[in-house]
Amino acid sequence: MEALIPVINKLQDVFNTVGADIIQLPQIAVVGTQSSGKSSVLESLVGRDLLPRGTGIVTRRPLILQLVHVDPGDGRKNDDIGREGEEWGKFLHTKNKIYTDFDEIRQEIEAETERVSGNNKGISDEPIHLKIFSPHVVNLTLVDLPGITKVPVGDQPKDIEIQIRDLILKHISNPNSIILAVTAANTDMATSEALKVAREVDPDGRRTLAVVTKLDLMDAGTDAMDVLMGRVIPVKLGLIGLVNRSQLDINNKKSVADAIRDEHAFLQKKYPSLANRNGTKYLARTLNRLLMHHIRDCLPDLKTRINVLAAQYQSLLGSYGEPVEDQSATLLQLITKFATEYCNTIEGTAKYIETAELCGGARICYIFHETFGRTLECVDPLGGLSTIDILTAIRNATGPRPSLFVPEISFELLVKKQVKRLEEPSLRCVELVHEEMQRIIQHCSNYSTQELQRFPKLHEAIVEVVTSLLRKRLPVTNEMVHNLVAIELAYINTKHPDFADACGVMNNNIEEQRRNRMRELPTAVPRDKSLGKGPAAVSGEPPASGADADGAKAPAAGPQGEQDSAGTWSGMLKKGEDGSGSGPGSPLKGVVNLLDVPVPVARKLSSREQRDCEVIERLIKSYFLIVRKNIQDSVPKAVMHFLVNHVKDSLQSELVGQLYKSGLLNDLLTESEDMAQRRKEAADMLQALQKASQVIAEIRETHLW
């Protein structure tokens, strides 16, 4: 199992080459407040002074520290270093440069921190990767994080506390990490910020190990026995006490090896019963053991995650396509694929079927039978026609002679007016289908032909050609739909079978109603006794305007008769004589101005007028329903033939004719600026994932897992 940690280091190297952080590898995250001794703990594990020192916040970028144990004789095998057993370090950002002087490593960490984070005590979440090779270390991967702080100092941003907290949570939230919570012994463990933040992401404490530093700085008369025994705050993975070097020891160049010897002597003297379960060496062994077991538990999920990501990046790389070699063949292939997908979307056989809303041919069908059909059904056959309008049309059609029958010309005039109302929804149907044909272009671009995203100029050219083709077909289709309505208006076919049947039924109903009225009339009076003796009859004047057309009696003589005679010519002449403008000496005396006679706005219709209006209304409704049925059937057919099917049939040839030209190849097949870079990144990531999968496969073969 000791070989599991180098395997994780190898995986880390694989993903470092592509600068990716998509795989959360097992590692140890060091968390603590400022000046709690985090850096001293790490230096004790390494055995060398390599981390920046100072007051306030020093660690301002995550430092991913990989400790690699090498045998003393392995120094010669690594980059021709030379001396046997030598320790050295390598940074990821300096590539293959070897650092044998640990002071240079410290200076490089400081320089790299200031390069990204600046010199104003700000922080950055971009990590520094450092690998240390030494025969004096155990295999570990640690992450040194900025110390928890509360109050900004100097030029630090006011939200520095939130920034550091978010950065820490980002690393310790990784379920594959072990949390090393560092707390100084001279502070109250109940107020430990490190344990508090660790408990937020690891409430069960299954991956938290507590480290108590500065045991030698506790107040006189006190000790950390209860803390180290876990009686104050129990931690499942345990608590380990350490003695750090003081700032004076560091200034006096006290070595880490001497500090470890002094630490051991202090523990033997102060905590003899716990000396073998505390100290730097015990911490290193414990971390190594915990990390190995943690890696073993994480490997199955890690393998699954790598395989899933490999499949995703394989698909992503496929969508980016291969670099173009044969431009002519590539252009023809893309044009053909777009035209095929466009037609398939209309036919409903596209590879990518929309589930959120109707699209393509399904939406066109909905427009025809739901939108257009319901709109026509909502058109009232008699909408906009009042009874007075119908009566006026009948009178205008009769001319100066009273008619015995309803004039046919009035029916034609009125029914044409109603049929004309079907043109607007028909043209709107064409417009809706045209809009859907435009939407199909975007649908094919987004879902069906992702290769077009590689070539933005080709995509724009295809959209322009298809849009132009649709634009050319729109007026042709509108003209045809207009002609369909015009055809219906050109000839009112009163011999239409459906209309003839409706007229026959209506005539039967009218005849039945006439017979019923005749049965209700009183017994007829002899003709000679039906003539009145009033003034109107004697003078030969026409009956009053309210007289019935079938021969009702004229108004009786006398005062009442004189009053009712206002609607007759003699009544109007009397008014002219008595009017204000016809007094003595007036030139208009005895003359009536017909234009001054008021036209009644509404009056009660006679039975003849009411019957004529009902006949016209029924005829209009019957014929209108026939025409509406024809329009509802013929308009979708015209739209399909002149617009939809024509575009489907001519799209391929139109695209080839407009775009397949040698002079346009280079311009149309120019990739977007970032496509080549994205293809390279995807290829590198796929290669890294494949290498990682091979590494895990080797673990199975060697029975390490």
Side-chain angles (χ1 to χ4, degrees):
M1 275 182 42
E2 181 70 26
L4 286 177
I5 296 178
V7 168
I8 293 299
N9 290 339
K10 187 180 294 186
L11 290 177
Q12 184 71 58
D13 293 341
V14 168
F15 292 116
N16 286 344
T17 57
V18 293
D21 194 22
I22 59 173
I23 295 291
Q24 296 178 321
L25 296 174
Q27 57 192 9
I28 300 170
V30 184
V31 182
T33 57
Q34 283 186 21
S35 303
S36 60
K38 302 190 313 303
S39 298
S40 296
V41 172
L42 292 176
E43 287 183 339
S44 298
L45 294 174
V46 177
R48 301 294 295 268
D49 293 329
L50 78 160
L51 299 177
R53 292 282 184 166
T55 58
I57 183 170
V58 177
T59 304
R60 296 188 287 128
R61 287 179 61 185
L63 175 65
I64 298 179
L65 181 62
Q66 292 178 260
L67 305 183
V68 182
H69 177 80
V70 294
D71 293 331
D74 287 348
R76 296 177 180 176
K77 302 176 184 178
N78 293 279
D79 302 285
D80 298 324
I81 298 270
R83 294 195 300 270
E84 190 173 302
E86 187 175 8
E87 300 172 311
W88 71 94
K90 291 173 63 177
F91 286 98
L92 176 65
H93 62 272
T94 58
K95 305 303 180 183
N96 295 322
K97 183 178 180 180
I98 304 298
Y99 293 85
T100 57
D101 186 351
F102 282 80
D103 288 336
E104 290 186 11
I105 292 178
R106 181 190 308 110
Q107 294 170 4
E108 182 60 31
I109 293 175
E110 293 174 347
E112 182 65 12
T113 298
E114 291 188 0
R115 185 184 67 83
V116 175
S117 303
N119 54 8
N120 62 345
K121 300 296 183 180
I123 67 169
S124 170
D125 61 351
E126 184 179 342
I128 299 174
H129 293 267
L130 172 62
K131 185 181 290 189
I132 299 296
F133 300 85
S134 172
H136 308 300
V137 299
V138 295
N139 292 312
L140 288 175
T141 300
L142 305 109
V143 182
D144 186 20
L145 297 170
I148 300 172
T149 185
K150 294 291 184 182
V151 180
V153 296
D155 296 332
Q156 286 182 341
K158 294 183 179 180
D159 62 340
I160 187 67
E161 176 187 0
I162 299 176
Q163 291 186 23
I164 294 177
R165 180 181 177 81
D166 292 343
L167 177 59
I168 291 173
L169 289 174
K170 175 184 175 182
H171 284 270
I172 67 176
S173 297
N174 173 11
N176 296 333
S177 67
I178 294 175
I179 304 171
L180 189 64
V182 179
T183 304
N186 55 0
T187 61
D188 191 347
M189 286 290 291
T191 63
S192 172
E193 290 289 339
L195 289 175
K196 177 185 176 183
V197 73
R199 189 164 292 181
E200 291 182 17
V201 297
D202 182 32
D204 298 331
R206 295 182 177 179
R207 51 188 185 91
T208 300
L209 175 67
V211 172
V212 182
T213 60
K214 304 180 181 181
L215 290 176
D216 55 333
L217 298 182
M218 296 187 68
D219 292 340
T222 62
D223 60 30
M225 184 64 72
D226 290 341
V227 173
L228 296 177
M229 294 292 291
R231 296 169 185 163
V232 179
I233 296 180
V235 181
K236 285 188 178 181
L237 296 185
L239 293 96
I240 299 176
L242 301 179
V243 176
N244 302 100
R245 290 182 299 168
S246 65
Q247 189 61 45
L248 180 62
D249 294 336
I250 295 172
N251 295 338
N252 293 333
K253 304 297 184 181
K254 183 177 182 178
S255 66
V256 175
D258 292 340
I260 291 176
R261 283 195 297 269
D262 292 345
E263 176 190 52
H264 181 69
F266 175 83
L267 292 174
Q268 287 289 351
K269 177 181 178 181
K270 191 71 175 178
Y271 306 98
S273 61
L274 301 176
N276 60 340
R277 285 182 291 163
N278 290 277
T280 300
K281 291 185 177 180
Y282 180 77
L283 174 63
R285 293 195 300 271
T286 301
L287 290 175
N288 181 263
R289 174 177 54 82
L290 290 175
L291 188 58
M292 283 191 298
H293 286 283
H294 198 62
I295 291 171
R296 183 191 61 188
D297 296 337
C298 295
L299 276 179
D301 291 339
L302 193 62
K303 179 178 181 296
T304 302
R305 172 69 173 160
I306 289 175
N307 290 339
V308 169
L309 285 174
Q312 291 177 353
Y313 274 91
Q314 182 70 54
S315 176
L316 182 63
L317 186 61
S319 68
Y320 292 155
E322 297 295 330
V324 178
E325 296 180 358
D326 188 344
Q327 291 184 333
S328 299
T330 301
L331 179 59
L332 188 59
Q333 178 184 3
L334 291 175
I335 289 176
T336 303
K337 185 171 184 179
F338 178 88
T340 302
E341 289 295 335
Y342 190 91
C343 296
N344 289 343
T345 303
I346 295 176
E347 295 296 333
T349 58
K351 181 179 180 182
Y352 297 91
I353 297 179
E354 184 67 56
T355 58
E357 61 179 354
L358 292 179
C359 178
R363 190 172 184 86
I364 293 175
C365 178
Y366 182 87
I367 292 171
F368 285 156
H369 302 291
E370 298 292 334
T371 306
F372 178 59
R374 290 181 179 177
T375 302
L376 290 187
E377 291 173 1
C378 292
V379 178
D380 184 5
L382 300 175
L385 282 182
S386 65
T387 305
I388 296 298
D389 295 335
I390 297 175
L391 185 59
T392 302
I394 294 174
R395 287 181 169 182
N396 288 336
T398 59
R401 296 172 299 280
S403 64
L404 297 176
F405 305 100
V406 178
E408 186 175 344
I409 189 65
S410 62
F411 162 71
E412 289 196 10
L413 291 174
L414 292 172
V415 81
K416 285 182 179 181
K417 178 181 178 183
Q418 298 305 99
V419 170
K420 184 68 175 176
R421 298 169 60 211
L422 297 176
E423 183 174 7
E424 182 179 352
S426 301
L427 294 176
R428 177 58 180 160
C429 175
V430 178
E431 183 181 349
L432 290 175
V433 174
H434 178 265
E435 291 175 358
E436 179 57 27
M437 300 283 282
Q438 288 278 17
R439 289 179 69 246
I440 296 176
I441 302 175
Q442 191 63 33
H443 174 81
C444 294
S445 301
N446 291 340
Y447 300 102
S448 304
T449 52
Q450 295 182 359
E451 292 89 342
L452 285 179
Q453 305 302 326
R454 294 176 56 192
F455 311 108
K457 292 186 178 180
L458 175 60
H459 178 252
E460 293 175 3
I462 289 178
V463 171
E464 179 60 30
V465 171
V466 181
T467 303
S468 176
L469 178 60
L470 290 172
R471 194 185 305 119
K472 286 190 297 185
R473 298 307 302 173
L474 183 60
V476 178
T477 310
N478 282 335
E479 181 67 20
M480 183 60 198
V481 170
H482 174 77
N483 287 337
L484 288 176
V485 179
I487 289 170
E488 297 291 346
L489 295 173
Y491 181 63
I492 304 301
N493 183 15
T494 55
K495 293 295 184 180
H496 192 284
D498 295 340
F499 186 69
D501 294 343
C503 289
V505 173
M506 185 176 60
N507 289 334
N508 292 336
N509 292 337
I510 294 174
E511 182 64 24
E512 180 67 24
Q513 292 174 6
R514 189 185 69 79
R515 284 196 295 266
N516 292 337
R517 284 198 301 270
M518 291 297 293
R519 284 195 294 266
E520 294 173 359
L521 289 176
T523 306
V525 182
R527 180 177 179 83
D528 56 348
K529 294 184 180 180
S530 64
L531 298 176
K533 302 299 182 179
V538 174
S539 62
E541 292 177 357
S545 61
D548 186 64
D550 294 330
K553 287 185 178 181
Q560 182 66 32
E562 293 175 1
Q563 181 179 356
D564 290 341
S565 66
T568 65
W569 288 106
S570 60
M572 282 188 269
L573 289 174
K574 283 184 179 181
K575 283 190 175 182
E577 294 172 358
D578 299 336
S580 59
S582 57
S586 173
L588 298 179
K589 182 176 181 180
V591 180
V592 64
N593 185 2
L594 295 179
L595 298 178
D596 291 340
V597 178
V599 179
V601 177
R603 63 181 176 83
K604 185 177 180 180
L605 301 181
S606 66
S607 58
R608 166 74 181 274
E609 292 171 339
Q610 188 172 1
R611 186 168 64 252
D612 291 348
C613 289
E614 289 178 358
V615 169
I616 292 295
E617 287 178 356
R618 292 180 182 181
L619 291 174
I620 290 174
K621 186 173 182 179
S622 176
Y623 195 83
F624 180 87
L625 294 179
I626 295 172
V627 175
R628 186 174 72 182
K629 184 178 180 181
N630 294 340
I631 293 295
Q632 190 171 353
D633 179 65
S634 58
V635 167
K637 293 178 178 178
V639 174
M640 286 298 298
H641 176 73
F642 286 93
L643 181 61
V644 180
N645 290 342
H646 187 279
V647 171
K648 282 172 50 183
D649 296 339
S650 61
L651 180 60
Q652 171 82 11
S653 58
E654 189 76 14
L655 288 172
V656 172
Q658 295 286 338
L659 303 179
Y660 193 67
K661 300 176 181 178
S662 58
L664 299 177
L665 290 178
N666 289 331
D667 187 47
L668 293 178
L669 295 181
T670 301
E671 288 188 323
S672 58
E673 296 179 358
D674 61 337
M675 182 57 67
Q677 179 65 24
R678 288 159 62 187
R679 186 190 298 111
K680 181 179 182 303
E681 291 175 356
D684 293 343
M685 180 57 68
L686 180 61
Q687 185 178 6
L689 290 167
Q690 291 172 344
K691 288 182 179 178
S693 183
Q694 293 175 359
V695 170
I696 294 180
E698 293 173 0
I699 299 176
R700 281 186 172 275
E701 293 175 0
T702 55
H703 306 289
L704 293 174
W705 181 2

